[in-house]
Amino acid sequence: MRLSFVAVLRIAPGGRGFKAPRNHNHTSTRAIALTAKSPSANVLPPSTNGIQPGCSQRNAHSYLRAFNRNFTRALVYGSTRTRAPLTHPHSGMSRVHLDPAGISSSSRFLSTRTSPEQCDSENLALYGGTDVASATVLTAQHQGPSQNVGSAESQKPSTSAAPAKAPSKFTVRHMAQKHRKREPITMLTAYDCPSARAADRAGVDIILVGDSVGMVVLGHEDTVSVTMDQMVHHCAAVAAAKPAHSMVLGDLPFGSYLTVESALHNAARLLKEGRVDAVKLEGGRRSAHLVRALTDAGIVVIGHVGLCPQAASSVGGFRVQGRTASEAQALLEDALALQEAGASAVVLEMVPEQVARLVSQRLGVPTIGIGAGVHTGGQVLVWHDTLGLYPNPPRFVRQYDDLASQIDSALRGYVDDVRERRFPSVEHSTVLSKDQWQRVATQLGVEEETLDQEAPGQKPDDQQPSQKHGQQEPSQKQEEPQLHEKDEPVVVDWSASAEQQRLCLGRPFVPSRFAVVGGGSLGSLMAARLALTEQTTLVSSHLDHLQAVSAHGLYVQRPSSKATVDEATASLDTLVRPERINTISSMQLIAPTTTMATTTTTTTPDAGSEVGCVAGSAQSTLPFPLPPAAARHQTVLLLTSGERTQAALRYLPQLLSDDGMVVTMQNGLGNEDLVAAVVGRERVLVAVTNQAAMLHSPGRVIHTGTQGETVLLPLPSQVDYAASLAAQLNRAGVPTRVESDQRRAAVVRWRKLCVNAAINPLTALLDVRNGALTDEPSLRELLRSVVHEVAAVARCETGEQFDDDELLEEVLRISRVTAPNRSSMLRALTSGRATEINQINGSVAKLAQKHGIAAPVNHMLTTMVRSASSLSNNQHAAAMRARSYSSTAAASPSLQVLKSVHEVRAFRRAADSNRRSVGFVPTMGALHDGHLQLVKEANRQCDQVVASIFVNPRQFAAHEDLDTYPRRVEEDCARLAATRCVDAVFVPGVEEIYPQHPPSATFVDIDGIDQVGEGARRPGFFRGVATVCSILFNIVRPDAVFFGQKDALQCAVIRRMVRDLHMGIDVNVVPTVRESSGLAMSSRNAYLTADERARAPLLYRALRHAQEQLTAAGSLTADQVHTLVAGELSTDPGMQLEYVHLFDWQTGETVCGEQFLFAPTHPRHQPVTITAAVGLGGKRLLDNVLIV
């Protein structure tokens, strides 16, 4: 049983506090023991010294020390800045109660050796008087509501005042409370109002206005030169943000606290002029007397030990402190001295983790670490280091974003737009009408000819693409491209005509320095990263990928710690706007868009070429442009797989400037020789990269190998160029270094070849992801054999030593890092394309034969992959092609129809045993082309696909069409089977999904969804959708699910449910499939008459009109969008508008009233959906557009 007692905190002259026993009438110094302690405990003997009999020795310690004035004031008032007088409970004035949860943290310091368990039961109530202020500490066991603790007088509640609310502002009391609960304290620097507001919104506990402002803002080499006036200036800027939560802490700069007087004066300036809540100063024992003076003056102080930047020169620079036993002991003594002097917390900078942990355990106040490990009471980082705004940050810094590259990109865009007169455009300008301008010009005496030549926003004549005054002679025609002879690549002399420069979306080709050839996963990643810093061109044969990039931009995502990216592990990391990337089809480079008078057939050098065949006399419909000859690229990054190199060489001269460089980042050996035959060896730079990515879907790439690096291996004449390129790639977020030593460069290249030779062929032949190689112990010996042979050949080729075990560990590490990826060789094999086996294992086998080394495993793997590739007409190969990113229709196993939960789970277990990912498409039947697009997308992303057909009664209201909803299960199954994309279809009965029929009261409810839009129109609908989806997800256990954008709010509901319930499923939304008229495909379109079907597309046109107006204006309010949609729909009196609902695309959060929507080009843009519902002839139509 724990001892319970009552004590008071007495304030002596000067403001120091002392804990003393207390009795009923506040006059006796002898306290009353309320509960006896267990006889077996270590207690004090009965005495008459005022401490109750039976008090423990460690608790008695708290009676033998003084509390500094600052801490005493915090205990009594709850703040160090409170100046209100205390009141006495017997004087008839109000009795003050403090929040027990907050007070318990303060009472922890009444005994520096009281355990947290003892502190949990303490409550503090404050009393006061005119002569001596007393704080009563009630320590009780809380044995029950009837337990009597203290006298009746002390238990009597006050009726004169209500309990005071705990402040939301972070104070020393909250800091002590967090420390007691072992909750980390967050501290971040800020130096101005906007950054302080951002930190406060993020929930940062303490905003530090540090003297680091001298280095990161003012450009000084150190912090010593920062003045007191500068600190006051920046503190006031931060305080102007009026943080609702964060405490503002100001640094005392070097030289501002050399004496007690100067410390008091300058700390007072920070509080009065800078409006900070507390101050920080550096130094341990040497500064303890200053801390004591400041706290005695009522100023909250946080100390700073370890590396003190203001005194860094005296310890040999910025180096770790506390490495030796003597240094660690001195550091501990410094921290204890600051605590004893009254510091509320202590910052530990650049201290070994073990030492920081020891100091944190010995102190009774929180420690805030920076470069001190994870065991401190909190962490602090510098704003600019955290956001990537300061070059070469310290090693202990974690950079949470790279804003520098994004800012550079934005500013370059601004400069380019101004220079090219793209900004300001009409929407950013006020332009007088022609009549108004003529009147003004006439009054000012400006001639009409001058007006024509210098019209606002018009380029000078020499910059216009056409004749003078922007008019072209009618007789003048663009010269037709000159076609070469038959069977030769069609090469054109690019001109700068506006027509040839236009993209499919009407955007002009923007000259760029970089072109990336290869639109696969790694090529798309490199293009996206480079586009963050400057304009970039992406060349690929994947038309659907290029169309997505051109329309919506390129999403680069980072996976979470989970191994399978098909699960909902990828969160949006970076969106590269479409205007930052030129998209060019490699097929158009061979046969550009033109009307050909004769049949021209372009063949490819091998079956694996990405170019394909373009033939016929019809006009090509490829929508991508050809860049003008003057805009060819200084650097072309070749990121195609090895077997596509020959095809890329056919159009490489059309992309590369006369003095440009080709950087080959391809797997295997020999690719640079092929390129050199076209452009010369001096213009070919070899590079290897351990970056890894996977192309999740068109326009979306997942950066899986985020810890990899790219190494440039230049010839001696290429070193300067390589250094410049490495700097550019690093700015773009691609970690890159240059290895100019030829011997070390050879080692780097062979290590990379060893990884490819081990991983690529095995994953291709076994049809598994990279991570499967580490999961299967039986493959370890096979990997070891491959590595042993590669290492033997590498030794002969380079003369360097290669350790087999080290290389094997590197292979296994890469397999783990890229576990969710499919190797490039596997993707080629499953799509029926030629593989790069000749450049990888084939090269190893050939060089082994040259040196007389046995390499049977590499020879075997080469033969097997070649054989598998040649069997493209085999049924197994055809079935594999059906799972490919770019596959066409292929043979597929017969469709399994599953009718019970047991059958579905048996199917799922088989998929798990084969390590196959499962995609799921839930439907209610009555399938149309929109549903089929969902299963095709699921088939492209996942190894196996399950669809369901279930008309869910829970999402129909009593007056809706549950009974008449079209049901044609056999026809739907036949359509699914015909796609060859679905492995199984789940067709359950109502009793299978809802065993308690009619349905029981178990629901999944999404809070607030029934208040607006479709939810308000159909109460209970989304509850039914969420419930049935959660049941189906639990039955099928998919890795990914696929929904159509047409039901946009439903997609947001599913995303929210998956996130909130931690289902670990990747939710994919596929764009709406429309009829040629623009009408969104829907099962209920069958209800429309011919006349209604002809009128129905007006809904989509109205939404598109609002979308176009938003793009033109840059921003509109939600009410303005509603008015635009309603105005368009009013042209058909028979179409009754039910609602226009605007919501966040990801979260479903409503945007309404005067809230603004921003165009995609606006820096404040967030993806928003505009959805609307109308009534037409008794039927309901729903549609939406996505602003992204």
Side-chain angles (χ1 to χ4, degrees):
M1 184 179 299
R2 187 178 300 161
L3 177 69
S4 299
F5 60 93
V6 177
V8 296
L9 180 66
R10 299 192 182 279
I11 302 177
R16 289 180 175 269
F18 296 87
K19 180 180 175 183
R22 174 183 176 276
N23 65 3
H24 289 85
N25 54 20
H26 297 271
T27 58
S28 172
T29 60
R30 181 179 181 84
I32 300 174
L34 300 177
T35 307
K37 194 169 182 180
S38 170
S40 62
N42 182 20
V43 299
L44 292 179
S47 66
T48 58
N49 61 359
I51 300 178
Q52 67 278 11
C55 178
S56 67
Q57 290 182 358
R58 62 181 180 178
N59 195 42
H61 259 287
S62 61
Y63 289 86
L64 305 178
R65 58 168 295 189
F67 302 108
N68 64 65
R69 177 177 176 178
N70 183 51
F71 187 72
T72 302
R73 183 170 291 279
L75 284 176
V76 175
Y77 296 104
S79 169
T80 60
R81 304 183 68 175
T82 303
R83 295 293 182 266
L86 290 171
T87 60
H88 196 279
H90 300 292
S91 63
M93 302 181 71
S94 63
R95 174 179 177 179
V96 181
H97 294 267
L98 296 188
D99 178 26
I103 296 303
S104 62
S105 62
S106 298
S107 64
R108 184 247 188 278
F109 294 98
L110 292 177
S111 172
T112 59
R113 301 190 179 186
T114 302
S115 67
E117 290 77 8
Q118 288 173 306
C119 297
D120 287 339
S121 62
E122 294 181 354
N123 288 315
L124 181 66
L126 301 185
Y127 297 84
T130 55
D131 299 322
V132 179
S134 301
T136 303
V137 183
L138 304 178
T139 305
Q141 184 66 25
H142 300 295
Q143 296 176 350
S146 62
Q147 182 179 0
N148 182 19
V149 180
S151 64
E153 183 180 358
S154 65
Q155 298 291 311
K156 187 184 301 182
S158 171
T159 59
S160 58
K165 291 184 179 180
S168 59
K169 182 84 171 179
F170 191 81
T171 65
V172 288
R173 188 162 59 86
H174 298 102
M175 183 162 57
Q177 181 181 8
K178 276 201 165 190
H179 179 59
R180 177 182 63 82
K181 294 181 178 180
R182 299 183 180 180
E183 296 177 358
I185 299 166
T186 55
M187 182 187 292
L188 184 68
T189 68
Y191 312 101
D192 54 31
C193 185
S195 56
R197 285 174 177 162
D200 186 53
R201 288 195 302 268
V204 172
D205 295 325
I206 304 174
I207 297 176
L208 169 63
V209 188
D211 58 2
S212 52
V213 66
M215 300 178 67
V216 299
V217 175
L218 303 179
H220 301 323
E221 294 182 356
D222 52 37
T223 64
V224 173
S225 55
V226 177
T227 66
M228 191 64 206
D229 288 341
Q230 289 170 338
M231 287 305 306
V232 170
H233 170 83
H234 286 280
C235 286
V238 168
K242 297 181 174 61
H245 168 74
S246 304
M247 171 194 288
V248 179
L249 173 65
D251 240 342
L252 286 172
F254 177 76
S256 65
Y257 52 99
L258 297 179
T259 64
V260 171
E261 291 74 16
S262 61
L264 290 169
H265 173 73
N266 289 314
R269 283 195 66 190
L270 285 183
L271 264 67
K272 294 179 67 176
E273 301 175 42
R275 304 303 301 161
V276 300
D277 301 302
V279 300
K280 182 176 79 70
L281 53 78
E282 296 180 3
R285 285 161 290 180
R286 63 181 173 84
S287 300
H289 67 292
L290 303 173
V291 173
R292 184 173 293 108
L294 291 171
T295 56
D296 284 347
I299 299 174
V300 178
V301 179
I302 292 180
H304 187 139
V305 298
L307 174 68
C308 296
Q310 295 175 7
S313 59
S314 64
V315 294
F318 292 85
R319 52 182 292 271
V320 176
Q321 304 296 304
R323 290 181 180 273
T324 65
S326 59
E327 288 182 352
Q329 179 64 31
L331 194 149
L332 176 60
E333 292 175 357
D334 284 342
L336 289 171
L338 291 176
Q339 174 184 264
E340 190 63 28
S344 298
V346 178
V347 173
L348 302 177
E349 181 169 0
M350 290 187 71
V351 175
E353 182 175 330
Q354 300 91 329
V355 177
R357 184 174 190 175
L358 173 65
V359 173
S360 300
Q361 290 174 343
R362 294 289 180 88
L363 291 185
V365 295
T367 56
I368 310 294
I370 177 168
V374 73
H375 299 295
T376 54
Q379 298 292 329
V380 58
L381 280 179
V382 174
W383 175 276
H384 295 70
D385 292 342
T386 307
L387 300 179
L389 296 173
Y390 191 74
N392 303 318
R395 184 176 63 87
F396 57 75
V397 168
R398 177 177 177 183
Q399 184 175 306
Y400 284 84
D401 208 336
D402 182 16
L403 295 189
S405 63
Q406 298 183 43
I407 292 173
D408 290 346
S409 175
L411 296 182
R412 285 195 186 97
Y414 163 71
V415 171
D416 292 343
D417 285 353
V418 172
R419 288 174 176 171
E420 296 297 324
R421 296 184 181 273
R422 292 191 294 266
F423 175 81
S425 57
V426 175
E427 60 263 30
H428 305 117
S429 308
T430 300
V431 181
L432 298 178
S433 68
K434 185 176 181 180
D435 293 340
Q436 289 175 317
W437 176 237
Q438 287 178 344
R439 288 195 296 270
V440 172
T442 301
Q443 186 175 354
L444 296 177
V446 182
E447 296 182 1
E448 185 67 24
E449 182 180 357
T450 306
L451 294 182
D452 291 341
Q453 293 178 355
E454 299 180 2
Q458 180 178 337
K459 288 187 178 182
D461 294 339
D462 59 356
Q463 296 186 28
Q464 297 291 340
S466 55
Q467 298 299 314
K468 186 174 181 180
H469 303 306
Q471 299 178 358
Q472 185 174 342
E473 295 293 337
S475 60
Q476 198 170 22
K477 295 183 179 180
Q478 293 293 331
E479 186 176 346
E480 292 291 335
Q482 179 65 41
L483 301 182
H484 288 236
E485 294 182 5
K486 186 178 180 180
D487 296 332
E488 297 232 353
V490 181
V491 181
V492 298
D493 182 14
W494 280 318
S495 68
S497 67
E499 183 62 28
Q500 289 180 340
Q501 292 185 43
R502 293 181 63 81
L503 286 174
C504 60
L505 298 184
R507 291 187 286 102
F509 180 92
V510 180
S512 60
R513 286 199 305 153
F514 290 95
V516 177
V517 177
S521 53
L522 196 56
S524 298
L525 174 67
M526 289 292 180
R529 292 301 183 197
L530 286 169
L532 290 175
T533 60
E534 63 178 84
Q535 191 74 26
T536 302
T537 299
L538 176 63
V539 181
S540 175
S541 64
H542 299 318
L543 292 182
D544 52 350
H545 182 49
L546 291 180
Q547 288 168 343
V549 173
S550 181
H552 304 298
L554 185 52
Y555 291 86
V556 179
Q557 300 176 309
R558 294 177 184 267
S560 72
S561 58
K562 286 190 177 183
T564 304
V565 180
D566 281 339
E567 299 176 6
T569 58
S571 59
L572 184 62
D573 178 52
T574 303
L575 170 60
V576 182
R577 298 293 180 191
E579 61 269 16
R580 300 293 298 174
I581 302 181
N582 304 315
T583 49
I584 299 178
S585 166
S586 58
M587 287 182 282
Q588 193 169 2
L589 292 174
I590 298 298
T593 302
T594 182
T595 302
M596 299 183 183
T598 61
T599 301
T600 301
T601 303
T602 302
T603 59
T604 61
D606 57 71
S609 170
E610 69 171 22
V611 178
C613 295
V614 179
S617 58
Q619 182 173 350
S620 171
T621 59
L622 295 174
F624 302 100
L626 301 178
R632 293 178 184 173
H633 306 83
Q634 296 178 9
T635 301
V636 174
L637 277 69
L638 198 55
L639 283 145
T640 62
S641 53
E643 83 281 359
R644 297 185 177 189
T645 303
Q646 192 69 46
L649 295 180
R650 306 179 70 188
Y651 52 79
L652 184 61
Q654 303 178 58
L655 293 173
L656 190 65
S657 63
D658 294 338
D659 58 346
M661 186 78 72
V662 179
V663 182
T664 170
M665 293 186 180
Q666 300 164 284
N667 293 332
L669 303 177
N671 295 302
E672 71 273 21
D673 297 329
L674 295 175
V675 181
V678 177
V679 300
R681 183 64 182 88
E682 292 297 317
R683 297 175 63 192
V684 181
L685 173 60
V686 177
V688 298
T689 182
N690 287 326
Q691 294 284 318
M694 61 182 296
L695 200 59
H696 185 277
S697 57
R700 178 183 175 193
V701 61
I702 298 179
H703 192 180
T704 54
T706 57
Q707 302 302 315
E709 69 170 354
T710 298
V711 185
L712 305 181
L713 312 175
L715 299 174
S717 60
Q718 300 171 337
V719 172
D720 291 342
Y721 171 83
S724 174
L725 177 60
Q728 179 75 22
L729 290 173
N730 280 305
R731 285 195 298 272
V734 181
T736 305
R737 66 180 177 89
V738 177
E739 185 51 78
S740 56
D741 184 275
Q742 297 301 304
R743 296 180 64 182
R744 289 197 295 268
V747 171
V748 170
R749 193 169 187 190
W750 274 93
R751 291 177 69 92
K752 169 66 173 175
L753 179 64
C754 182
V755 171
N756 293 139
I759 295 177
N760 290 21
L762 288 178
T763 55
L765 291 171
L766 297 173
D767 189 17
V768 295
R769 300 173 188 265
N770 294 357
L773 300 183
T774 61
D775 297 336
E776 186 57 55
S778 61
L779 293 177
R780 184 70 62 93
E781 287 306 314
L782 186 55
L783 289 172
R784 186 182 298 276
S785 298
V786 176
V787 168
H788 174 73
E789 293 178 4
V790 175
V793 176
R795 294 187 194 102
C796 295
E797 281 288 300
T798 66
E800 301 293 326
Q801 292 300 314
F802 291 85
D803 183 86
D804 291 10
D805 292 335
E806 183 180 342
L807 289 176
L808 180 60
E809 285 303 316
E810 177 71 3
V811 169
L812 295 174
R813 185 186 69 82
I814 296 297
S815 296
R816 286 190 292 268
V817 170
T818 62
N821 289 25
R822 292 182 177 91
S823 67
S824 57
M825 195 172 294
L826 171 59
R827 294 196 303 271
L829 196 61
T830 56
S831 61
R833 294 185 282 105
T835 69
E836 53 192 352
I837 191 67
N838 292 336
Q839 288 82 8
I840 301 177
N841 301 78
S843 295
V844 174
K846 186 179 296 185
L847 290 173
Q849 185 178 8
K850 168 187 170 183
H851 293 289
I853 300 172
V857 178
N858 279 275
H859 181 76
M860 175 192 69
L861 292 174
T862 303
T863 303
M864 292 179 69
V865 173
R866 284 175 180 170
S867 300
S869 180
S870 66
L871 296 175
S872 57
N873 295 324
N874 182 274
Q875 182 176 1
H876 170 69
M880 293 174 68
R881 285 200 301 275
R883 307 294 176 228
S884 164
Y885 171 80
S886 57
S887 64
T888 57
S892 176
S894 60
L895 181 68
Q896 300 183 50
V897 178
L898 312 174
K899 296 187 176 181
S900 69
V901 174
H902 174 74
E903 291 175 333
V904 175
R905 288 182 173 165
F907 175 89
R908 192 62 177 89
R909 283 194 297 270
D912 286 341
S913 64
N914 293 320
R915 297 188 179 89
R916 291 186 174 274
S917 60
V918 173
F920 179 48
V921 181
T923 79
M924 291 206 305
L927 302 184
H928 50 72
D929 287 348
H931 294 110
L932 302 186
Q933 188 63 34
L934 296 180
V935 300
K936 290 175 182 178
E937 180 65 18
N939 172 73
R940 192 180 59 76
Q941 293 193 34
C942 302
D943 298 319
Q944 292 186 310
V945 175
V946 177
S948 69
I949 300 174
F950 177 67
V951 180
N952 177 34
R954 287 197 178 183
Q955 64 192 65
F956 287 82
H959 64 281
E960 293 182 332
D961 57 343
L962 173 61
D963 295 332
T964 61
Y965 191 86
R967 293 170 172 85
R968 41 179 187 262
V969 175
E970 291 185 2
E971 180 183 339
D972 289 340
C973 289
R975 296 199 69 180
L976 292 174
T979 66
R980 301 179 181 271
C981 294
V982 182
D983 298 274
V985 58
F986 181 35
V987 189
V990 174
E991 294 79 7
E992 192 71 22
I993 298 299
Y994 304 117
Q996 301 281 344
H997 189 68
S1000 63
T1002 302
F1003 288 96
V1004 176
D1005 214 347
I1006 307 298
D1007 185 44
I1009 200 66
D1010 288 342
Q1011 297 178 4
V1012 291
E1014 188 69 5
R1017 187 71 183 181
R1018 302 178 66 184
F1021 170 76
F1022 288 112
R1023 181 172 71 167
V1025 169
T1027 300
V1028 74
C1029 284
S1030 66
I1031 293 172
L1032 291 171
F1033 293 173
N1034 282 328
I1035 295 172
V1036 179
R1037 294 189 294 109
D1039 299 291
V1041 293
F1042 297 83
F1043 291 87
Q1045 180 190 326
K1046 180 181 178 298
D1047 300 311
L1049 188 56
Q1050 174 178 292
C1051 296
V1053 167
I1054 298 301
R1055 266 195 298 261
R1056 182 172 166 185
M1057 179 186 74
V1058 166
R1059 180 199 65 199
D1060 292 350
L1061 300 183
H1062 303 285
M1063 291 183 171
I1065 300 173
D1066 187 7
V1067 180
N1068 294 269
V1069 179
V1070 179
T1072 302
V1073 178
R1074 300 183 180 277
E1075 298 178 2
S1076 58
S1077 63
L1079 175 64
M1081 289 189 175
S1082 169
S1083 300
R1084 289 188 171 93
N1085 286 355
Y1087 297 157
L1088 297 174
T1089 65
D1091 175 66
E1092 291 166 348
R1093 183 178 287 272
R1095 295 159 59 191
L1098 177 61
L1099 174 58
Y1100 181 55
R1101 292 198 297 270
L1103 293 170
R1104 284 297 305 272
H1105 173 69
Q1107 182 184 33
E1108 292 165 358
Q1109 293 299 312
L1110 172 62
T1111 302
S1115 65
L1116 292 173
T1117 66
D1119 286 344
Q1120 289 172 327
V1121 172
H1122 186 284
T1123 301
L1124 288 169
V1125 174
E1128 286 293 303
L1129 292 174
S1130 64
T1131 59
D1132 186 341
M1135 191 169 285
Q1136 304 299 318
L1137 177 63
E1138 292 183 1
Y1139 64 81
V1140 177
H1141 182 205
L1142 292 82
F1143 57 89
D1144 185 280
W1145 167 247
Q1146 292 291 336
T1147 65
E1149 183 178 351
T1150 297
V1151 180
C1152 59
E1154 295 300 315
Q1155 290 180 273
F1156 273 93
L1157 287 78
F1158 298 97
T1161 55
H1162 197 284
R1164 294 176 60 187
H1165 169 72
Q1166 293 291 337
V1168 174
T1169 303
I1170 306 175
T1171 184
V1174 298
L1176 179 62
K1179 294 91 174 176
R1180 295 185 75 241
L1181 299 175
L1182 282 79
D1183 208 341
N1184 64 78
V1185 292
L1186 176 60
I1187 311 297
V1188 65

